[in-house]
Amino acid sequence: MIPVPWAIIQSLRHAALAASSALDIKRPLIDNEHGEDGVEPEILRRIRALLGKSADRDVTSPTPVPARPTSILDGYALSALSAGSGAGGEFFSRRVVRRAYAGGDGGGDGHAAAAELDAVYIATGAALPEGLELVAPVEECAVTSQDGDSGDVVRVPASSALRKNVREIGSDVAVGEVLIGRGAAVGPAEVGLMASCGITWEEARRILRGVDLTAGGCGAVSRPPVAVISVGVLSTGDELVEGPLLGAPAPAASPRRIYDANRPSILSLLASLGSRVAPIDLGIVPDDPGQIAAVLRPALESCDLVVTTGGVSAGEKDLVIDVLIGLGCDVVFRKMMMKPGKPTALLRRRPGCDGGLAPPALALCLPGNPVSSLVCAQLLCVPMLDVMRQVIDERAAVASEAEATEYVARRAAVHRETSAGIDRDVRLDAGRPEYHRVALAPGEVDGAAPPPAAASTGFQRSSRLLSCAGASGLAVLPRATPGAPILAAGTPALVLRTGADACSLPVAESVHVSGYLWTRRGDGVSDERENVLRTGGPAGRGGAGVLGLRLGRRTRGELRETVARLLPASLGPPRQVIVRAASAGEGNGRAVGDAVEAVSHDLRDRDVVFVVLGRGSDGNVVRQSLDVADALRCLAGGNVEADGMALEALRGAAAQDGRCAVFEIAAVTVGKGNSDGKKMLVILLPEDGLEGALSSIAGTLGRVARLLRGER
């Protein structure tokens, strides 16, 4: 999991590399079976006809979204009676009778009701079986016996049954709720909203002013005499069908089937970027690896960028990234530290991996929730396409990551920024920064003075696309801290401008992006700074850094003394020690966020970073270690893990304290983010067995230190 500013920098770098490598190779437009050569497909003609039009009267939803109670996450569906009967103890056990998937059998029909004291494994987006009302998160539960699906028994913490984790009928959009107000203009979010709610093409033409397929270039496409960047867009999911807004009459939506919102909104976003971007509709495919591969293989050959939605999280039906890896793609990053949009990933296809001449295409894999996919497309896809256009126009030679870094620093642009106070109190997330959708008045956005307030678009759930309707900016809200769980109304926040013309701020002037890459010197207290993006990092840095998380037995000084005593002389004492504490009840997100932020920012200039994880006040160190280790591995991207060192450290820690045998120790290499491509070693260790772990790897650390300095 990497911070969003770093994900943007990585995306821009790889966009510049991909565009440069494609300069001398002509790509054919993919045959998407929607129209003859030179004639734009019907879905894109309709999108272009809708964009920018205003409503003569309110556009309201004819259907509720969702149409049935739906699970927000992967977990185990239970009845309230079942949860209540087990509330007397710390845990209770239930028999798992079947599995329910979005769009699949076992979830929503009346005959699929479950007994009150049974459990059903349920995937994100699946309709709840009748008789079950809440979902316990899968990561908080444990299967205690396995004898086929019907023989599984799941052990559920009583505390997990206190939250419903369910999208109720109409909680995203109610019947009759206004989707587009009278006089409001249609943008990408509004197209997605109308598509997802079942608005027909005929209804849209009656309500929206001036919709005409024969006007404004909505017929035959005249290819401009300049290079066009082709972008394929694919939606995945067994539950998805095409709505009647953009296609032929479709099967009616049902509890198992929903109208696709993601392709319509993202294709609309791409269509709004001008004639240099050629959106290509890749359609909808079910959650089947063979069918996904059959669409992505030719798309990677023919498109400069492929955008997928859905199938990128950690569930049993999340297959897209594995399919792409099988097609010759390498992971650039996977998971971003943000809300919404955490599962987002970027992959780069290796050149000539199938023996052909196609250059390395990029695949941007977005989450399935419509808000997550649209927000991440705005944050990443729009600036990526802008830098690709510049590379093509300048015929810039960008042959290495170092050259890509330099080009991005000099030429790339990101979203315009302003400062504004949100018009209401906002509860902050403990684990991730939130990109809160807000509406800024046009004069306030473009004026010299910062706007006094930004209007929140309401309930910000990632499935509620209404939160994007009318939004013109993303307010970047910090993570919660124990002393500041709420951002008070009017508190200034950084706001990123969204829209087709939003990317015009040079990277070097961005507070959000390049400002994040300023790093502090010394022990976390000095104000001396240096621009890592431009200079590749300050001279004389290196050595070891330490991050203490949820420590229970050591002060900061004691942690420094322990590590300094056991480090090899070639590394010297730790140059920087940071301690972060998380209170009980904040969940695992806080420790994960602290680890990612420290490794990506505060300790980025070190050669070796020790992340020391304690039990905290709740003692939940095993689950915490799994989550922090997963975040560090995601931060490492495609870098090779130092598995041998992790095993040595585990043995040493367990020899000192037997409880450490179940601790998830990790050792990974992470890029420092500078132009010379240097990396640092990051090791996750338990506080309980710290001395044993460090002693067991001291010799290996000495050799690593010499290698990091370029010595043999």
Side-chain angles (χ1 to χ4, degrees):
M1 187 159 56
I2 70 174
V4 173
W6 187 235
I8 293 173
I9 292 294
Q10 289 284 66
S11 300
L12 293 174
R13 284 173 167 170
H14 284 275
L17 283 166
S20 182
S21 64
L23 285 174
D24 297 319
I25 298 178
K26 293 183 178 179
R27 292 178 179 271
L29 284 177
I30 193 168
D31 179 10
N32 55 15
E33 300 180 355
H34 288 298
E36 298 177 359
D37 186 32
V39 178
E40 195 163 45
E42 178 76 7
I43 184 173
L44 290 170
R45 296 176 63 212
R46 291 189 178 187
I47 283 173
R48 294 189 193 279
L50 292 171
L51 286 174
K53 302 301 188 295
S54 57
D56 282 332
R57 55 185 172 83
D58 288 349
V59 180
T60 59
S61 177
T63 58
V65 179
R68 288 289 301 272
T70 301
S71 178
I72 288 176
L73 41 74
D74 292 343
Y76 293 91
L78 306 163
S79 70
L81 175 64
S82 172
S85 66
E90 188 177 356
F91 296 91
F92 60 91
S93 296
R94 294 291 179 263
R95 184 171 63 101
V96 181
V97 295
R98 63 176 177 274
R99 311 176 89 73
Y101 299 102
D105 294 330
D109 292 344
H111 63 76
E116 288 182 332
L117 294 182
D118 285 337
V120 172
Y121 172 85
I122 191 166
T124 304
L128 264 69
E130 288 190 7
L132 306 185
E133 299 97 1
L134 56 89
V135 180
V138 67
E139 64 270 16
E140 297 178 10
C141 303
V143 175
T144 58
S145 64
Q146 294 181 329
D147 184 21
D149 289 348
S150 62
D152 288 358
V153 174
V154 64
R155 188 167 181 256
V156 182
S159 59
S160 298
L162 300 177
R163 308 178 302 277
K164 291 197 71 172
N165 295 316
V166 172
R167 294 166 57 208
E168 300 292 355
I169 296 173
S171 58
D172 289 337
V173 180
V175 174
E177 189 165 4
V178 175
L179 306 178
I180 307 171
R182 180 181 178 182
V186 173
E190 288 77 11
V191 173
L193 268 173
M194 289 192 291
S196 67
C197 292
I199 300 291
T200 67
W201 172 246
E202 290 72 22
E203 289 172 321
R205 293 186 66 179
R206 286 196 300 269
I207 298 172
L208 301 177
R209 193 177 306 131
V211 175
D212 184 359
L213 282 181
T214 64
C218 293
V221 177
S222 175
R223 301 295 179 196
V226 292
V228 173
I229 304 167
S230 57
V231 186
V233 182
L234 173 70
S235 283
T236 67
D238 292 335
E239 72 276 22
L240 298 180
V241 295
E242 189 73 270
L245 178 70
L246 301 177
S254 72
R256 292 194 199 169
R257 299 286 186 267
I258 62 173
Y259 294 134
D260 183 22
N262 292 343
R263 276 172 43 262
S265 60
I266 294 176
L267 286 169
S268 299
L269 177 66
L270 297 172
S272 70
L273 298 179
S275 61
R276 295 297 300 278
V277 176
I280 298 172
D281 179 28
L282 301 177
I284 301 171
V285 295
D287 294 315
D288 175 81
Q291 295 188 58
I292 295 171
V295 175
L296 290 181
R297 183 177 289 106
L300 290 169
E301 295 286 345
S302 303
C303 298
D304 298 292
L305 174 65
V306 175
V307 179
T308 69
T309 69
V312 296
S313 192
E316 295 178 5
K317 293 278 189 174
D318 293 313
L319 308 168
V320 171
I321 292 179
D322 287 340
V323 169
L324 284 166
I325 291 172
L327 293 175
C329 293
D330 294 323
V331 175
V332 176
F333 64 79
R334 185 172 185 177
K335 295 185 182 179
M336 297 197 302
M337 193 169 70
M338 68 175 294
K339 179 183 181 180
K342 174 183 171 182
T344 300
L346 179 68
L347 293 89
R348 184 171 187 253
R349 183 176 182 270
R350 294 187 296 274
C353 63
D354 288 335
L357 297 176
L362 296 175
L364 180 61
C365 302
L366 305 177
N369 274 320
V371 176
S372 304
S373 66
L374 183 55
V375 166
C376 292
Q378 290 169 330
L379 283 174
L380 300 177
C381 193
V382 175
M384 286 173 68
L385 294 172
D386 185 67
V387 80
M388 293 174 82
R389 176 192 58 77
Q390 288 192 71
V391 169
I392 292 170
D393 289 350
E394 299 170 2
R395 295 195 64 81
V398 182
S400 67
E401 289 198 18
E403 291 178 358
T405 299
E406 181 63 24
Y407 187 86
V408 167
R410 289 187 296 103
R411 303 290 294 141
V414 291
H415 298 81
R416 299 198 309 274
E417 301 169 355
T418 189
S419 176
I422 300 180
D423 61 350
R424 65 187 67 182
D425 290 350
V426 179
R427 179 165 294 279
L428 302 175
D429 187 86
R432 293 172 285 162
E434 180 181 355
Y435 286 70
H436 193 103
R437 280 73 70 200
V438 296
L440 297 167
E444 295 174 334
V445 171
D446 299 321
S456 170
T457 56
F459 186 32
Q460 298 280 304
R461 190 161 66 191
S462 61
S463 58
R464 186 177 178 268
L465 194 53
L466 263 175
S467 70
C468 292
S472 55
L474 298 170
V476 184
L477 307 185
R479 294 183 295 141
T481 61
I486 293 175
L487 186 76
T491 303
L494 179 70
V495 178
L496 310 180
R497 181 77 163 94
T498 57
D501 59 348
C503 282
S504 59
L505 179 69
V507 164
E509 299 176 16
S510 168
V511 174
H512 182 236
V513 176
S514 70
Y516 183 88
L517 296 175
W518 295 84
T519 186
R520 293 191 293 273
R521 180 186 293 264
D523 203 25
V525 294
S526 172
D527 290 330
E528 185 177 348
R529 295 181 174 183
E530 211 163 327
N531 193 327
V532 174
L533 176 64
R534 291 215 210 162
T535 67
R541 299 291 180 92
V546 183
L547 170 66
L549 297 175
R550 297 164 50 88
L551 299 182
R553 298 192 297 107
R554 289 178 172 87
T555 65
R556 177 180 174 187
E558 291 169 341
L559 180 63
R560 176 194 290 274
E561 188 278 329
T562 299
V563 176
R565 174 167 48 86
L566 296 170
L567 279 184
S570 54
L571 267 175
R575 299 188 179 185
Q576 192 169 359
V577 178
I578 300 171
V579 172
R580 298 281 186 265
S583 61
E586 284 193 322
N588 297 349
R590 183 73 197 177
V592 170
D594 285 338
V596 171
E597 183 173 310
V599 172
S600 304
H601 188 208
D602 300 294
L603 298 171
R604 164 164 261 156
D605 53 337
R606 304 301 163 199
D607 291 331
V608 180
V609 172
F610 300 97
V611 179
V612 180
L613 180 64
R615 294 183 172 273
S617 57
D618 55 9
N620 187 17
V621 71
V622 176
R623 169 53 60 185
Q624 291 273 7
S625 71
L626 288 168
D627 289 347
V628 174
D630 180 59
L632 294 177
R633 288 169 183 140
C634 291
L635 192 64
N639 294 330
V640 177
E641 296 185 26
D643 290 325
M645 182 180 294
L647 183 58
E648 290 180 46
L650 178 60
R651 288 170 177 164
Q656 177 185 343
D657 189 324
R659 295 175 297 178
C660 295
V662 293
F663 187 97
E664 183 72 6
I665 289 180
V668 300
T669 55
V670 177
K672 291 187 177 183
N674 48 34
S675 59
D676 59 12
K678 288 186 177 179
K679 297 179 174 63
M680 60 181 169
L681 176 67
V682 182
I683 310 171
L684 173 63
L685 299 172
E687 181 188 14
D688 291 331
L690 180 60
E691 290 86 348
L694 285 174
S695 298
S696 67
I697 60 175
T700 306
L701 285 171
R703 293 192 296 273
V704 167
R706 290 191 292 273
L707 288 172
L708 290 169
R709 289 196 300 268
E711 302 172 4
R712 292 193 175 275

